[in-house]
Amino acid sequence: MRSQTVFWLISLLVQFKIYMSFALVNPILPGWNPDPTILRVGSDYFIATSTFEYFPGHPIYHSTNLVDWELIGHALGRPSQLSLLGTPSDAGAWAPGLRYHNGIFYLTSTVRYVYTYELRLFPRSFFVTTTDIFSNEWSDPIYFDALGYDADLFWDTNGDVYNTWSGINNAIDKIYGIYQNKVDITTGNSLTPAELIFTGTLPDNSSARPEGPHVYLINSTYYLLIAEGGSGPEHRSTIQRSPSPSGPWESNPTNPILYNGANLSLPVQYTGHADFVQDTDGQWWGVALGVRPQTIGDFNHIQLGRETFLFPVTFDSQGWPVFNYGQPLSTEISGVLTNKPHLSTFYDEFTSSNTLGNSYYFLRTPYKPFHSLTARAGFLRLFGNSYALGDRDTPALLLRKQTSYNETFETVLDGFNPESNSTEAGVTVFYGDFAHNDIGLVGSSDGSGNRVVVTRIMRPAEQVGPWALTTTNSTVTTVTYTPLLTKSDPVKLVIVGNPTSYSLGFAEENDLNTSKEITYTATFDSISMSVPPVNDFFFKGASFGVYNTGNGRPSLSPADIMYWKQIPGA
Ligand SMILES: *[C@@H]1O[C@H](CO)[C@@H](O)[C@H](O)[C@H]1NC(C)=O
Ligand SMILES: *[C@@H]1O[C@H](CO)[C@@H](O)[C@H](O)[C@H]1NC(C)=O
Ligand SMILES: *[C@@H]1O[C@H](CO)[C@@H](O)[C@H](O)[C@H]1NC(C)=O
Ligand SMILES: *[C@@H]1O[C@H](CO)[C@@H](O)[C@H](O)[C@H]1NC(C)=O
Ligand SMILES: *[C@@H]1O[C@H](CO)[C@@H](O)[C@H](O)[C@H]1NC(C)=O
Ligand SMILES: *[C@@H]1O[C@H](CO)[C@@H](O)[C@H](O)[C@H]1NC(C)=O
Ligand SMILES: *[C@@H]1O[C@H](CO)[C@@H](O)[C@H](O)[C@H]1NC(C)=O
C-alpha cells in the first residue's frame, strides 16, 4: 500500500516535470518571416510569409506537428509570376493569404512595384493556385479588380467567394479601411461593388492602419480578424464577429486579443498580423509576426526583423477566441507542444545537386542566371555583372536569411583574379540597397595584379540615431583597403553577428583546408541593419550574401564559393 503511494507520487512528479518541460519555442520561423498566414489540409500544415523585393517570392513552410517546419518551396518562382526589376526596397511581394478549397490551394498576394505619388493608390492584388503544393508549381497571377493589399479569400457555405482586403478611402486623405466584395474565383473579376466593411477599433485616422483581414466561419458565426496600429510597437490584432460575412461587426470586448506594445520591456514586440487554424485534435493555433529587440526598451537592434511566432488559441465562454491565454506573446510558451530542437548549423558544400537549395534568394528577379554549380565541381561559381550592391537592380548576389542574433557566416572564396580595381567579390550582411556592409576582394590600383581586401561600411553607428537622412542622401559609406600577402591563395571571409553588432574579417589560406587566424577589418552597430532613414520604413531583416560585381562595368572574373556556413549561436 505504502510503496504504491510512493510509486504514484513519483509518477505524478515525473509527469509534472515532463509537463513543465514541454514548451513551444518561438519564433517558429526564425529570421525575417513577416505577415504569416497558416493553413491546414488534412494533417499537413502550411505557412507562407512576405518576401518584398527578394526573389523567389512567398516561401511555403510545411509541418505535420506544428513544431518542425520545412521550407518546401515558393509560390512565386517564375519571372512571369513576379517581375521585380527596379522595385524599391520593401516594395515587392507583401502579405500573402494561404487558403484551400475543393482540392485547390490559393495564395493571395499584392506586389507593389513602385512608390511614387503618381501611383496614388495601391496596386491590384492577385492570387495564384496549385493542386499540388509540394510540386512548387503555381499558376500565373489571376488579378482582382480592387486596389489594395493584404487580400484574403473566404468561401461561404452557399458558394459565394469573398475577397477582403485593406485599402484607402482616396489618394489624398489615405484613411485605411477593410474593404470587401464578392468575386468570380475563376477570373478574379468583381461580382459586387467594393464595400467598406470595417474601419478598425482605433480612432479612424491615417495612423490607424486596419489591415491583414481574415474572415472565418466558426460554429455559424463569422469572425473578422485584423491587424491595426501600424507596423511598429502599436501593432496588434483585434477580432469582431457577425451573423454575416460582411458585418455589421460586434467587437470583442477584450480587444486587442494580441498586443505587446503597451509594455516596452517585454522581450517580444510589434505582435500582430495573425491568422489561426484548427488542428486535427480540435485544438486551435495562431501565428503572428513579432520582433525580439536585443536591448530591453530599445527597438533599434531588431536586425532579424519580424519573425513568425506560434501560440495556442482557446475560446472563452462567450465564444470569443483568446490568443495565447490572453498573455503577451513570448519566446517560450510552456505546457504545449514539445521542445523544439535548437537551431543547427547550415553548411552547404555545393556538392550534392545541380540546383541551388531553396533557402537562397536573389535580389529582385534575375535577368539571366549568374551562378553555376557545375562549372567547377564542389563550388558555387558566381559570374559577376555590372550592378553594384547599392544599385536598384539585380547585382550578382545570393542571399540567405540570418536566423539568430548570435550567428557567424563563413565562406572561402577561391579562384578570383579580378581584372581591374572595379572588379570585386565578397560577402555582405545585407538589408537592402541602402543598408549593406561588405568585405571582399578587389583588384589593386597599382597595376601589380595583386588583390586587396575592401571593407565597405554604410551608415556606421555614429551616423545613426536619430538619422538626419532621407532615402535620397542616406548613403554614407566608409571604404578601407587591407593588403593581402599572396596573389592567388583562397581567402576565408567571415561575418560575426552579435546581438548589437557585426564584425567583418578575412584570413588567407595557403590551401583550402587550413584554418588561419582571422583579421577583423571592421565592427559596426547592428542598428545599421534595422533603423530606416527618416520618412522610410524597414519591413525585412538582415541576410548574409555572396556577390561578384564589376561596380558599373561587366566583371570578367568568376568567383568560386567553396561552401556556405551559417553557425547560429546559443
Ligand atoms: C490618430 O488618433 C490617435 C488617437 O487619438 C492619435 O494618437 C494620432 O496622433 C492620430 N493620428 C493622426 C494622423 O491624426
Ligand atoms: C462549436 O460548437 C460545439 C457544439 O456546441 C462546441 O462543442 C465547440 O466548443 C464550439 N467551438 C467553438 C470554437 O466555439
Ligand atoms: C512589463 O513587463 C515586465 C517584464 O515582463 C514586467 O516586469 C512589468 O511588470 C510589466 N509592466 C507592466 C506595467 O505590466
Ligand atoms: C548571444 O550570445 C551571448 C553570449 O553567449 C548570450 O549571452 C546571449 O544571450 C545570446 N543572445 C541571443 C539572442 O541568443
Ligand atoms: C582604379 O585605377 C585607376 C587607374 O588604373 C585609378 O584612376 C582609379 O582611381 C582607381 N580606383 C580606385 C577606387 O582606386
Ligand atoms: C539629407 O537631406 C536632408 C534633407 O533633405 C538634410 O536635412 C540632411 O542634412 C542631409 N544629410 C546629409 C548627410 O547630407
Ligand atoms: C581538403 O580536404 C578534403 C577532405 O577533407 C580533401 O578531399 C581535399 O583534397 C582537401 N583539399 C586540399 C586543397 O587540400
Side-chain angles (χ1 to χ4, degrees), residues 421-422 445 481:
N421 67 354
S422 69
S445 294
Y481 296 98

Side-chain angles (χ1 to χ4, degrees), residues 382-385 387 396 416 423-426 546-550 555 557-559:
L382 269 191
F383 299 96
N385 66 29
Y387 298 115
F416 180 61
T423 312
E424 176 188 335
V546 297
Y547 66 90
N548 184 356
T549 174
S555 162
S557 312

